[in-house]
């Protein structure tokens, strides 16, 4: 019988945040796969857990992923942990999850800390709808294309960023999103020096140009304001024709106009046909 893969969320700072279930799983599995075995060993020693450790990280994820899957197919239960927080989020663990699913191995998430969620709920930004954008590419063109693709995103956006790249990222935000966009810069989450800095993008640039940033950051950025288009200057006929020129069928064009104007499609149909 095949073993299982347990995705174990570990503390992002304060060790007291580990869950009882996570400790039970770490104590029961046959092997723990870790992003940095030295880092994870400190965690295990703190809780007096003695288990075999193996490395699983960005540069060995393909080869090692299939090796771990083979061990699970032979019956071993394996726990996957990252250095902090929930594995498989902006993390090579997502590859291992895909391999396990491909091979019919059960994947069991063991929930706990997620830096992105902690930062979001402490940011003061809307939390009803949000999107996670992870780490931006180090390639300037890829970064710019990524940001331009979400320039009109109305949901709250969450990014991860390293301190040495923070200022460059903030300046890219200013170019694409505008300097007045609200941002919450979160660092040292759950630790003694936990900090939430709530500013505009331009204000954040000024702050960190004066005081070099330290620590890993979670950036929570407000979404763009929803654009409300005014079609009152268009006749209904011209409005329908506008959508037809964009490639919609007559039926779909009338449906779109009804939605834009907040009136019944039958009313659009009656007036459009009357004028033709």
């Amino acid at each position: 019988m095949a073993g299982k893969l347990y995705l174990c969320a570990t503390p992002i700072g304060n060790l007291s945040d580990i869950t009882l279930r996570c400790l039970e799983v770490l104590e029961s599995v046959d092997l723990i796969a870790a992003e940095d075995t030295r880092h994870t060993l400190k965690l295990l020693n703190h809780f007096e857990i003695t288990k075999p450790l193996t490395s699983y990280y960005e540069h060995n994820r393909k080869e090692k992923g299939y090796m771990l899957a083979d061990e699970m197919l032979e019956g071993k239960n394996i726990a996957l942990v990252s250095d902090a927080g929930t594995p498989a989020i902006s993390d090579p663990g997502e590859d291992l999850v895909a391999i396990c699913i491909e091979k019919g191995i059960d994947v069991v998430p063991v929930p706990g800390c997620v830096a992105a969620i902690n930062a979001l709920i402490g940011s003061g930004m809307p939390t009803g709808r949000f999107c996670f954008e992870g780490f931006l590419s180090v390639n300037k063109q890829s970064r710019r294309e990524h940001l331009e693709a979400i320039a009109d995103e109305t949901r709250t956006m969450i990014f991860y960023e390293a301190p040495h790249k923070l200022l460059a990222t903030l300046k890219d935000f200013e170019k694409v999103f505008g300097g007045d966009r609200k941002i919450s810069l979160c660092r040292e989450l759950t630790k003694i020096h936990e900090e939430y800095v709530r500013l505009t993008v331009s204000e954040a640039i000024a702050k960190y140009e004066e005081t070099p940033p330290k620590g890993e950051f979670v950036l929570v950025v407000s979404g763009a304001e929803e654009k409300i288009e005014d079609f009152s200057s268009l006749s209904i006929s011209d409005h329908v024709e506008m959508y037809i020129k964009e490639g919609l069928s007559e039926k779909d064009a009338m449906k779109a106009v009804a939605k834009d104007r907040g009136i019944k499609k039958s009313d659009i149909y009656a007036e459009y046909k009357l004028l033709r």
Side-chain angles (χ1 to χ4, degrees):
M1 184 177 177
K4 297 179 180 180
L5 174 68
Y6 293 89
L7 304 174
C8 291
T10 54
I12 57 177
N14 191 322
L15 293 181
S16 298
D17 290 334
I18 200 163
T19 68
L20 293 175
R21 184 183 174 202
C22 183
L23 291 175
E24 290 169 359
V25 170
L26 294 176
E27 287 174 339
S28 68
V29 294
D30 301 294
L31 178 67
I32 298 172
E35 185 176 356
D36 184 333
T37 54
R38 295 165 299 179
H39 182 90
T40 299
L41 185 59
K42 293 176 184 177
L43 176 72
L44 296 180
N45 286 341
H46 179 82
F47 291 105
E48 299 181 346
I49 296 172
T50 304
K51 285 291 174 179
L53 281 166
T54 188
S55 64
Y56 176 79
Y57 58 100
E58 180 66 29
H59 299 296
N60 74 351
R61 60 181 179 176
K62 290 186 179 179
E63 178 184 355
K64 196 61 173 284
Y66 283 100
M67 290 173 61
L68 292 173
D70 287 341
E71 293 195 53
M72 284 181 272
L73 288 172
E74 292 172 3
K76 283 188 177 179
N77 289 316
I78 295 178
L80 177 67
V81 299
S82 64
D83 284 350
T86 300
I89 297 178
S90 282
D91 176 270
E94 67 177 311
D95 286 5
L96 183 55
V97 171
I99 290 169
C100 288
I101 292 171
E102 173 193 324
K103 293 183 173 291
I105 297 167
D106 286 344
V107 177
V108 183
V110 181
C113 292
V114 183
I117 299 301
N118 275 40
L120 174 66
I121 62 176
S123 70
M125 305 279 186
T127 61
R129 298 180 70 230
F130 62 90
C131 57
F132 177 69
E133 298 296 328
F135 288 99
L136 291 168
S137 171
V138 295
N139 179 280
K140 288 184 179 180
Q141 183 177 344
S142 296
R143 286 163 65 85
R144 192 63 181 264
E145 289 174 353
H146 183 161
L147 293 176
E148 287 176 348
I150 56 174
D152 296 324
E153 175 58 68
T154 57
R155 294 172 294 178
T156 302
M157 297 175 285
I158 306 171
F159 301 83
Y160 286 163
E161 194 52 279
H164 66 279
K165 294 193 297 178
L166 179 66
L167 264 174
T169 294
L170 291 174
K171 289 176 181 178
D172 284 343
F173 284 174
E174 185 177 47
K175 289 175 186 174
V176 179
F177 300 151
D180 292 335
R181 191 75 72 92
K182 291 180 181 178
I183 184 170
S184 175
L185 303 100
C186 317
R187 57 182 288 274
E188 297 294 292
L189 292 174
T190 78
K191 299 176 184 177
I192 294 174
H193 301 293
E194 178 177 83
E195 181 180 43
Y196 288 83
V197 177
R198 304 173 183 92
L199 302 167
T200 65
V201 169
S202 293
E203 289 169 342
I205 291 171
K207 172 181 172 61
Y208 291 106
E209 281 182 332
E210 184 176 332
T211 307
K214 295 180 181 179
E216 300 296 318
F217 282 79
V218 183
L219 310 176
V220 184
V221 183
S222 64
E225 292 186 10
E226 291 196 36
K227 295 178 180 177
I228 301 174
E229 296 191 57
D230 182 9
F231 295 105
S232 59
S233 61
L234 286 175
S235 69
I236 285 180
S237 180
D238 288 342
H239 199 164
V240 173
E241 291 296 331
M242 179 190 79
Y243 280 120
I244 291 174
K245 287 177 182 177
E246 290 178 5
L248 293 186
S249 67
E250 186 179 276
K251 179 181 177 182
D252 287 340
M254 287 189 284
K255 184 177 180 181
V257 171
K259 182 178 179 182
D260 288 344
R261 293 175 177 255
I263 58 180
K264 293 178 181 179
K265 183 183 170 183
S266 58
D267 293 339
I268 300 295
Y269 179 85
E271 185 162 345
Y272 181 65
K273 289 300 183 181
L274 179 65
L275 295 171
R276 282 176 63 81

